[in-house]
Amino acid sequence: MSDAVTEVVETVARAAPEVRGGLSGRRRKTDAENASGETQLAADVWADELLAERLTAIDGVSQFASEEREDVLECGESGGYAVTVDPLDGSSNLKSNNSMGTVLGVYDAELPAKGSHLVAAAYVLYGPITTMVVARDGEVTEYVVEETDEGTAERRAVREDVTLPDDPTVYGFGGRVPDWTDRFADYARDVEDELKLRYGGAMIGDVNQVLTYGGVFAYPELESRPEGKLRLQFEGNPIAYVVESAGGASSNGEESLLDAEADEVHQRTPVYVGNEELIERLESRF
Ligand code: FDP
Ligand code: ZN
């Protein structure tokens, strides 16, 4: 892994205790909307600004894009890495004090880029403790991130070579059930027979359950929104990269998310990730 990629991952790890520490006073809504038309919370805007400032300063990063800002920032000589962040995934959970995350993608191509251009992806999970899962070079590692006495952050590997358990046990599906398409509802009925529901409403928290226990997470195509809710560059691709690096599979309903064409920076996509057999079964019905 090149130095710039290491620096990007470390920068997000170092920022994690700070992001977490700044949440409590930033639960209010702002008057602003993000590029996807969602009302931003003070915490969304703040985490975005903090990460933008630090990540754009890294040598070798030439583009920075965030789910919380419309335009891609050009921040260095062209030909470097393009970094994407979802600064606070699941931030609507802030009101009810439930889990949230930060999602990172590092692409070796200009945005919008296909997931096959990812060279690393990671996420921070602000749960009862702060953990970070990093995928690179086909390997996935889970860290605990803690603040040191000096006020900096330290990450300690707690699980190396993370792979999805062979015997899956959990599922979590987003969207309102009456809004599911018939083919997804059929699939869901099948899965409900076999696995138990674990759904928290923040993609990162729900994906981390699948990474821990095995199973399937989906934010599916909807009748009202065939393109689903999640964004390919900021959420779908990085999560697919993590899950596939851990021996699982990803899909947009037709093909691996990592093979899907990227046309726009904020484009949405249905997201299905989990154990290979469960994703194959979904694709065979679609
Ligand atoms: P949120 O809007 O709270 O940021 O990123 C989008 C996301 O959360 C995901 O984390 C989550 O999986 C999904 O939206 C939940 O959407 P619903 O509110 O439709 O359940
Ligand atoms: Zn998100």
Side-chain angles (χ1 to χ4, degrees):
M1 185 159 72
S2 88
D3 286 342
V5 181
T6 308
E7 189 55 27
V8 167
V9 172
E10 303 246 304
T11 298
V12 172
R14 278 198 299 271
E18 240 175 297
V19 170
R20 180 177 194 116
L23 295 175
S24 63
R26 294 187 172 83
R27 297 165 90 180
R28 67 184 182 282
K29 287 183 178 160
T30 66
D31 297 332
E33 283 187 353
N34 68 13
S36 304
E38 298 159 342
T39 303
Q40 290 175 306
L41 298 174
D44 288 317
V45 176
W46 175 72
D48 171 62
E49 281 168 6
L50 190 147
L51 291 169
E53 193 186 303
R54 299 195 188 164
L55 292 168
T56 55
I58 297 172
D59 269 353
V61 173
S62 51
Q63 288 191 315
F64 170 84
S66 161
E67 196 174 297
E68 299 302 334
R69 56 179 72 214
E70 185 87 42
D71 298 322
V72 176
L73 296 181
E74 306 292 335
C75 50
E77 276 172 42
S78 61
Y81 294 102
V83 172
T84 63
V85 296
D86 179 357
L88 270 188
D89 171 66
S91 59
S92 54
N93 270 359
L94 194 50
K95 192 170 177 181
S96 57
N97 188 25
N98 276 290
S99 298
M100 291 178 309
T102 294
V103 193
L104 170 72
V106 188
Y107 296 83
D108 66 2
E110 283 201 5
L111 303 173
K114 269 175 100 154
S116 52
H117 281 290
L118 280 167
V119 294
Y123 62 79
V124 176
L125 173 59
Y126 309 102
I129 51 174
T130 306
T131 54
M132 185 173 189
V133 168
V134 179
R136 57 177 174 91
D137 303 330
E139 269 183 31
V140 181
T141 310
E142 183 184 24
Y143 302 87
V144 167
V145 184
E146 277 165 332
E147 201 161 2
T148 62
D149 292 342
E150 293 80 48
T152 57
E154 182 182 81
R155 69 186 162 117
R156 182 165 42 90
V158 286
R159 225 167 24 127
E160 311 217 20
D161 297 328
V162 177
T163 52
L164 268 72
D166 287 335
D167 196 9
T169 52
V170 301
Y171 75 96
F173 297 156
R176 290 173 56 246
V177 176
D179 205 8
W180 287 353
T181 58
D182 288 346
R183 61 185 185 173
F184 183 72
D186 283 349
Y187 172 75
R189 226 163 282 136
D190 231 53
V191 170
E192 283 160 7
D193 271 348
E194 297 166 28
L195 306 178
K196 66 181 170 187
L197 174 62
R198 283 293 169 93
Y199 189 70
M203 178 192 73
I204 283 308
D206 294 323
V207 166
N208 202 57
Q209 301 248 28
V210 168
L211 204 66
T212 309
Y213 300 117
V216 53
F217 165 80
Y219 202 106
E221 59 177 14
L222 299 174
E223 288 291 353
S224 64
R225 198 146 71 174
E227 70 281 20
K229 178 178 186 190
L230 302 177
R231 276 121 308 197
L232 182 66
Q233 301 288 283
F234 305 104
E235 297 167 313
N237 277 342
I239 285 311
Y241 187 85
V242 170
V243 173
E244 290 198 21
S245 300
S250 80
S251 179
N252 60 5
E254 279 168 22
E255 58 186 346
S256 159
L257 284 161
L258 303 180
D259 293 329
E261 282 308 324
D263 303 317
E264 284 171 42
V265 171
H266 292 278
Q267 102 190 49
R268 296 180 193 267
T269 178
V271 169
Y272 310 94
V273 293
N275 285 69
E276 206 166 7
E277 189 277 324
L278 289 159
I279 300 302
E280 273 169 11
R281 210 191 308 169
L282 174 112
E283 282 187 343
S284 71
R285 286 165 173 250
F286 271 39

